[in-house]
Amino acid sequence: MGNILKVDLTTGTLRSEPISEDIAKKYLGGKGYAVYLLYNYLKEYESKGFSPTDINPLGPENVLIFATGPGTGIPGFPCSGRYHVMALRSPLTGSIGSANSGGEWGPFLKFSGYDMVVIEGASEDPVYLSIVDGSAELRSASDLWGKNVFDTCRILSRRVGGKNISVACIGPAGENLVRMACIMNDEHRAAGRTGLGAVMGSKNLKAIVVSGKKEVPVANRDVFREVSRRCLETMRKNRVTGEGLPTYGTSILINVINTAGGLPYKNWQTGVNPYADKISGETLAETYLTGRRACWGCTIGCGRVTSVSSGPFQIIGTEGPEYESIWALGGSTGVKDLDAIVKANHYCDEFGMDPISMGSTIAAAMELNERGYIPKEDLQGLDLKFGNSTALVEAVWRTAYKAGFGKYLALGSKKLCEIYGHPEISMSVKGLEMPAYDPRAMKGIGLTYATANRGGCHVTGYTVSAEILGIPEKIDPLTPEGKAKWAKLFQDFTCVVNSTVNCLFSTFALGAKDYAELLSAVTGWSLSEDDVLRIGERIYNLERVIINKLGFDGKDDTLPKRLLEEPMPEGPAKGHIVELEKMKEEYYRLRGWVNGVPTAEKLKELEIEI
Ligand code: SF4
């Protein structure tokens, strides 16, 4: 078992604690172990008379955890170059904070001698944390404060020197406490969702630089070699992981989802984008692509290196945009100029912001503006109309610096729409902007959005895989029947993946049985498919217990009114709404929850001690 580095920024003290094998057996690592630790912080606060609902997400009492898992950094463990970040409370939503990132930071943290880093308190002055070959210390970041993500990564890499260096940091958006600020690593990789960059900013923590050479142990090397060989071969032969993602990246989905009638357009007013071809993965590959990039140890390599070679949005050698970024910054805003979308995405990376929440908030502002709900003087010259590419790019940097109308955009779509008196225009769940799939055209993902603990999220349980891509089997996207079972299964399995910690894209080819074999080989435990799914269910339930304590329950497991009441106006899903209550009733029954709260019997059955 490895070690946890606990850092108290208020006192400047650092201490090391061993990972507990008993806890790891129940929660694996990564997200699962972090959820367990966060729950214990909550219990400690409660024992001191501090109510969880009084936790200020941007106060020193919030706790931030960077976590790797048993798969991280093992050569041959498919897509194991990732890490998971969690916080007790998200500044965007007030629910639990959770995000995941690739690149090299996760494995290099492990090579540095630690499996996890827990950040408590807040520093008075800007600092960064350096962890090199098992030696950890806090250093002044006064000279880095104000610098963008790219400069911060380059300066700290040079400062440490040598090989295997990776920097996770915030940009100006995190420093300025923008509610959708990301934690970025390796320049273009993001732990994007729920505003965890703002949590780092509130703690005056600019960056964590990691480097090391330690080898990650594998309990049974011979068995692992064989299981790994078989899994990698399966991934190579799979049409998504072996062909679609390596060739076109995630943006291959633009045309696929648009054809299904579920690509939200102009703030979800319809699910058909008439200009999808102009912003598709195929167009990106033909016109902008200059190279591919893979996270550490990944055989898929879905990352895109792109350039806009001329014009007002020129940018050479950037990365992305991914499917979600193209949709949020493009489709949702009605912008069809891919040059502008690439540039807006580049700014999101440079300043450290989540493109999904950014694009969706701009789209909400465009709808508010077009309906006449925003006084002209508030916009300060920003011409927020659907399709305006110049306004899109300008709105992104204004948000990072809270300049002019950017101070409203920086709050996220929910608060923005509340301020202007029309909360129904925010296309969010629990305050988190939903991603690029309209559930009127694929009902299961609507149930996942509604019941996701962190808010409107597709990677909590990607039922789109079955509904649209036919993996592991094709199901009818337009019926609500049977979706509760799929949503629960995908959610539980995703907890296993995020606690392993691995890339979700591996699951297009690998199932729970493969994960059980990989995990058994590296840990030395004997895990079956049922065992790992039960661990996933345990994690999902404990996370639910946390958000219940933060004030969320069945009333919050819902969707924006537009999806529940406005029939899809066109395309294959024409006339459809989301029959959420029907699916939710079945889902709660399968989960053993009442009104979004796990029953005592369910918690006992899952051996969750609260
Ligand atoms: S599939 Fe893409 S995101 Fe996932 S680990 Fe590989 S390169 Fe990274």
Side-chain angles (χ1 to χ4, degrees):
M1 290 288 118
N3 293 303
I4 303 171
L5 176 67
K6 289 198 169 168
V7 181
D8 184 335
L9 289 174
T10 305
T11 59
T13 50
L14 288 74
R15 60 193 193 279
S16 176
E17 279 180 15
I19 295 267
S20 152
E21 183 160 8
D22 289 343
I23 298 167
K25 279 185 168 167
K26 285 181 80 171
Y27 294 96
L28 293 176
K31 176 176 176 170
Y33 208 113
V35 164
Y36 175 85
L37 292 179
L38 289 177
Y39 178 70
N40 281 281
Y41 275 102
L42 269 190
K43 270 207 311 202
E44 196 185 318
Y45 284 158
E46 283 181 310
S47 72
K48 291 176 180 163
F50 197 78
S51 166
T53 52
D54 287 339
I55 292 170
N56 176 359
L58 298 176
E61 64 269 30
N62 203 357
V63 179
L64 191 63
I65 301 180
F66 296 75
T68 65
T72 313
I74 297 176
F77 202 115
C79 310
S80 63
R82 300 187 73 86
Y83 67 100
H84 205 90
V85 195
M86 298 207 75
L88 265 179
R89 233 174 168 190
S90 152
L92 182 65
T93 69
S95 184
I96 197 162
S98 178
N100 190 291
S101 180
E104 298 179 318
W105 196 87
F108 291 1
L109 172 66
K110 241 176 164 177
F111 301 164
S112 81
Y114 289 99
D115 287 47
M116 300 172 73
V117 180
V118 178
I119 307 288
E120 304 165 351
S123 171
E124 265 185 36
D125 300 307
V127 290
Y128 74 91
L129 175 63
S130 165
I131 312 172
V132 179
D133 288 323
S135 171
E137 58 181 310
L138 288 167
R139 293 181 180 165
S140 170
S142 300
D143 60 327
L144 297 169
W145 208 252
K147 297 221 178 298
N148 69 36
V149 166
F150 308 144
D151 287 345
T152 305
C153 287
R154 289 167 199 167
I155 290 168
L156 283 180
S157 294
R158 273 201 299 272
R159 205 170 278 176
V160 172
K163 286 183 173 171
N164 284 4
I165 303 160
S166 179
V167 177
C169 69
I170 54 170
E175 295 176 11
N176 293 330
L177 308 183
V178 170
R179 298 300 199 267
M180 61 198 71
C182 298
I183 297 171
M184 304 291 300
N185 59 279
D186 307 305
E187 300 194 17
H188 290 279
R189 294 285 159 171
R193 307 233 66 196
T194 67
L196 298 177
V199 178
M200 260 179 93
S202 73
K203 293 180 177 301
N204 266 327
L205 179 63
K206 177 70 177 175
I208 304 179
V209 56
V210 293
S211 176
K213 301 175 209 64
K214 195 168 177 265
E215 201 176 323
V216 181
V218 173
N220 194 332
R221 283 225 168 259
D222 289 341
V223 175
F224 175 70
R225 209 170 287 122
E226 179 49 30
V227 180
S228 159
R229 188 199 56 72
R230 184 176 47 72
C231 288
L232 291 173
E233 185 60 16
T234 305
M235 287 173 59
R236 256 191 298 275
K237 286 181 180 158
N238 181 280
R239 70 187 156 90
V240 179
T241 54
E243 196 185 329
L245 284 172
T247 311
Y248 294 110
T250 52
S251 53
I252 182 74
L253 283 171
I254 291 279
N255 277 333
V256 174
I257 301 301
N258 198 48
T259 303
L263 189 67
Y265 184 58
K266 293 191 174 177
N267 201 35
W268 302 67
Q269 295 184 68
T270 174
V272 179
N273 183 336
Y275 303 105
D277 265 343
K278 289 189 182 301
I279 60 172
S280 68
E282 291 84 342
T283 302
L284 191 78
E286 280 160 22
T287 319
Y288 298 82
L289 191 69
T290 56
R292 285 170 51 195
R293 190 145 295 165
C295 301
W296 183 92
C298 178
T299 54
I300 300 173
C302 72
R304 307 288 94 180
V305 181
T306 50
S307 289
V308 178
S309 51
S310 60
F313 304 118
Q314 186 174 3
I315 181 78
I316 305 298
T318 187
E319 288 192 31
E322 304 301 323
Y323 167 66
E324 292 293 344
S325 324
I326 292 179
W327 162 75
L329 298 164
S332 192
T333 62
V335 169
K336 57 179 185 292
D337 178 353
L338 199 44
D339 285 14
I341 297 167
V342 173
K343 184 74 170 192
N345 183 67
H346 179 82
Y347 275 165
C348 282
D349 288 357
E350 183 173 348
F351 303 136
M353 291 188 292
D354 169 15
I356 300 179
S357 286
M358 181 74 270
S360 300
T361 303
I362 293 170
M366 286 172 165
E367 186 171 349
L368 285 169
N369 185 37
E370 290 204 350
R371 290 183 188 272
Y373 300 146
I374 304 180
K376 205 168 170 214
E377 58 272 21
D378 282 13
L379 292 167
Q380 296 191 23
L382 194 60
D383 186 20
L384 282 174
K385 294 222 176 67
F386 283 119
N388 186 340
S389 51
T390 305
L392 166 75
V393 175
E394 191 174 335
V396 175
W397 73 256
R398 279 184 179 274
T399 303
Y401 290 98
K402 293 185 170 172
F405 190 69
K407 71 174 179 282
Y408 295 109
L409 295 169
L411 297 170
S413 70
K414 181 168 184 279
K415 289 210 169 55
L416 174 83
C417 292
E418 283 169 1
I419 287 170
Y420 289 103
H422 288 274
E424 75 284 359
I425 287 177
S426 167
M427 298 307 288
S428 61
V429 174
K430 300 184 182 83
L432 185 66
E433 290 76 14
M434 294 178 298
Y437 308 90
D438 192 317
R440 288 172 292 188
M442 48 203 97
K443 307 291 170 79
I445 198 69
L447 181 60
T448 305
Y449 291 162
T451 57
N453 290 326
R454 75 171 180 178
C457 164
H458 61 309
V459 289
T460 293
Y462 191 64
T463 55
V464 175
S465 181
E467 295 186 293
I468 303 297
L469 304 176
I471 300 171
E473 65 184 76
K474 183 79 176 87
I475 58 175
D476 180 0
L478 293 174
T479 178
E481 302 299 332
K483 297 297 167 71
K485 179 193 80 175
W486 283 102
K488 177 182 178 298
L489 179 64
F490 273 100
Q491 288 171 342
D492 291 348
F493 182 36
T494 304
C495 280
V496 176
V497 178
N498 285 337
S499 306
T500 293
V501 172
N502 249 32
C503 181
L504 196 56
F505 295 158
S506 65
T507 63
F508 288 123
L510 307 178
K513 186 166 177 294
D514 301 300
Y515 267 78
E517 290 180 18
L518 285 162
L519 286 166
S520 297
V522 298
T523 61
W525 310 329
S526 177
L527 294 167
S528 67
E529 183 178 355
D530 287 348
D531 291 336
V532 296
L533 288 174
R534 184 173 153 79
I535 291 172
E537 186 177 9
R538 181 180 297 128
I539 295 164
Y540 205 77
N541 275 269
L542 186 57
E543 188 181 38
R544 175 57 58 148
V545 171
I546 293 175
I547 77 158
N548 291 153
K549 282 181 181 288
L550 294 172
F552 292 82
D553 60 21
K555 71 180 179 319
D556 305 293
D557 288 340
T558 189
L559 292 171
K561 208 169 147 198
R562 176 163 285 165
L563 304 180
L564 300 174
E565 295 180 9
E566 287 179 28
M568 180 69 86
E570 59 185 318
K574 186 174 178 181
H576 280 265
I577 54 159
V578 185
E579 301 89 339
L580 181 64
E581 286 311 310
K582 183 181 162 75
M583 294 190 287
K584 216 166 87 172
E585 200 180 305
E586 169 76 350
Y587 174 87
Y588 282 173
R589 193 182 61 72
L590 291 173
R591 279 256 175 246
W593 294 359
V594 175
N595 190 31
V597 179
T599 59
E601 298 76 49
K602 175 49 78 176
L603 295 178
K604 193 169 169 214
E605 179 199 317
L606 291 170
E607 298 171 272
I608 296 172
E609 288 148 25
I610 61 167

